[in-house]
């Protein structure tokens, strides 16, 4: 398979809308680069799908972004990072184009968590698929074997956010219920990772219900800082990224619907086009 060799944008992929929080964090720190955001909204959510299905869907999206000229793709999706990243890196890139890179959102958080927790007890709030994959615990304990990781799935948080109910009184019940459950499982937790890119939208309510002294760890700033460091370490890759501070958006769903929901995450109007992956 041949892909364009000339410089192109950084690709950011998510199964839905949550990756927009990752994109926003990256663009805040690295505004000079060009970006393409691709949301597979027609097949979202990925959280409850099997490893094989998530891998196949994510691979299709990555190859599409390569076709669009991206030399670097960020999986701005915890489920895709947990269930598909390693297979794409080890199985696909050597066969398709070894010069291209695909990075996820779990590793940057795992790298930084050791400097954030004092008790060495860390909580994870994420989708069912991410919690079940055990990816955060495995990645964190590779780097910090002394840290205990306890995860709780929050299956209703994403629908609450995508239905624009994050500010509603009803959301309080579900946010408090999951945080209380996590803290009952391990009262020594002093840092909680938000392991789904949607969850920062619920931050006001999350901060309302976490115990005093517990730190919330959103991903976007750590992913952005990790990407900045990665590009500095890989100048050959960095030279293959265009720099006109432009961003294009694509969705496998209805473009008007994407535009409406994206405003919840970005607080700005975006121009978006429909795209097919299959």
């Amino acid at each position: 398979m041949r892909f364009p060799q000339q410089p192109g944008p950084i690709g950011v992929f998510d199964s839905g809308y949550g990756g927009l929080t990752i994109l926003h964090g990256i663009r805040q720190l690295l505004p000079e680069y060009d970006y393409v955001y691709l949301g597979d909204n027609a097949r979202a959510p990925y959280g409850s799908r099997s490893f094989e299905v998530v891998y196949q869907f994510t691979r299709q999206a990555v190859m599409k972004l390569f076709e669009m000229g991206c030399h670097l793709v960020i999986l701005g999706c915890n489920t895709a990072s947990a269930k598909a990243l390693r297979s794409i890196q080890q199985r696909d890139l050597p066969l398709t184009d070894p010069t291209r890179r695909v990075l996820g959102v779990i590793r940057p958080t795992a790298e930084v968590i050791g400097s954030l927790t004092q008790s060495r007890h860390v909580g994870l709030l994420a989708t069912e698929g991410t919690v079940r994959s055990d990816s955060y615990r495995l990645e964190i304990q590779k780097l910090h074997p002394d840290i205990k990781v306890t995860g709780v799935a929050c299956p209703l948080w994403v629908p609450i956010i995508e239905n624009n109910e994050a500010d509603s009184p009803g959301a309080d019940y579900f946010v408090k219920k999951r945080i209380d459950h996590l803290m009952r499982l391990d009262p020594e937790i002093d840092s909680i990772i938000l392991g789904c890119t949607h969850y920062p939208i619920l931050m006001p309510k999350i901060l309302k219900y976490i115990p005093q002294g517990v730190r919330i760890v959103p991903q976007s700033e750590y992913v952005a800082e990790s990407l900045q460091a990665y590009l500095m370490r890989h100048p050959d890759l960095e030279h293959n990224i265009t720099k006109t501070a432009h961003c294009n958006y694509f969705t496998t769903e209805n473009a008007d619907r994407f535009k409406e929901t994206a405003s919840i995450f970005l607080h700005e109007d975006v121009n978006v086009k429909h795209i097919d992956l299959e």
Side-chain angles (χ1 to χ4, degrees):
M1 192 178 297
R2 296 283 298 171
F3 300 115
Q5 296 303 305
Q6 65 267 33
I10 295 172
V12 178
F13 167 70
D14 185 24
S15 58
Y17 300 97
L20 293 168
T21 63
I22 297 294
L23 174 64
H24 179 71
I26 292 172
R27 291 186 73 195
Q28 291 284 104
L29 186 64
L30 303 168
E32 69 273 22
Y33 295 105
D34 293 332
Y35 299 90
V36 172
Y37 184 86
L38 172 54
D40 189 12
N41 307 84
R43 300 187 293 195
Y46 281 14
S48 58
R49 294 186 183 272
S50 70
F51 272 75
E52 187 58 32
V53 168
V54 172
Y55 162 66
Q56 293 295 345
F57 287 0
T58 304
R59 184 186 182 279
Q60 288 174 349
V62 167
M63 296 304 149
K64 179 65 72 174
L65 287 165
F66 285 169
E67 289 173 15
M68 296 165 75
C70 300
H71 291 257
L72 170 65
V73 173
I74 311 297
L75 301 185
C77 172
N78 283 273
T79 303
S81 296
K83 295 185 174 183
L85 176 62
R86 192 173 299 275
S87 296
I88 289 172
Q89 288 174 333
Q90 296 179 353
R91 188 190 310 177
D92 296 303
L93 292 184
L95 299 175
T96 54
D97 188 340
T99 68
R100 306 209 176 221
R101 294 288 177 267
V102 181
L103 305 175
V105 293
I106 294 175
R107 177 81 182 193
T109 313
E111 287 174 343
V112 78
I113 196 67
S115 64
L116 301 179
T117 174
Q118 300 297 315
S119 70
R120 316 312 277 174
H121 289 250
V122 169
L124 170 69
L125 297 170
T127 65
E128 180 187 351
T130 298
V131 172
R132 258 191 331 194
S133 75
D134 213 20
S135 294
Y136 269 94
R137 185 187 65 80
L138 293 170
E139 201 67 44
I140 288 171
Q141 291 187 342
K142 266 191 240 170
L143 302 169
H144 315 287
D146 62 321
I147 292 180
K148 178 185 177 184
V149 180
T150 302
V152 165
C154 308
L156 292 177
W157 286 20
V158 168
I160 286 169
I161 293 163
E162 292 196 352
N163 285 288
N164 208 12
E165 295 290 332
D167 294 328
S168 71
D172 286 70
Y173 171 79
F174 294 104
V175 170
K176 183 177 187 302
K177 181 178 180 180
R178 294 302 171 179
I179 291 173
D180 288 351
H181 179 40
L182 179 64
M183 297 307 299
R184 279 197 304 272
L185 290 176
D186 184 356
E188 293 186 63
I189 286 171
D190 71 350
S191 301
I192 298 175
I193 296 168
L194 299 185
C196 174
T197 50
H198 280 69
Y199 294 176
I201 303 297
L202 286 168
M203 189 67 82
K205 295 199 186 298
I206 292 169
L207 293 175
K208 184 176 173 183
Y209 294 112
I210 60 164
Q212 189 171 2
V214 175
R215 176 198 293 264
I216 293 296
V217 184
Q219 295 176 298
S220 58
E221 64 183 278
Y222 300 115
V223 171
E225 289 169 3
S226 179
L227 176 59
Q228 183 181 48
Y230 186 87
L231 292 174
M232 290 177 67
R233 295 196 308 271
H234 297 85
D236 290 349
L237 180 64
E238 198 276 339
H239 291 326
N240 272 321
I241 302 171
T242 51
K243 303 173 183 70
T244 66
H246 193 67
C247 186
N248 289 311
Y249 298 85
F250 294 87
T251 178
T252 58
E253 239 299 4
N254 177 276
D256 289 337
R257 182 179 177 189
F258 179 94
K259 187 174 182 179
E260 181 180 342
T261 307
S263 64
I264 299 170
F265 295 83
L266 296 176
H267 306 293
E268 63 178 273
D269 285 335
V270 298
N271 291 316
V272 59
K273 296 179 182 176
H274 174 82
I275 195 169
D276 288 314
L277 294 181
E278 297 181 88

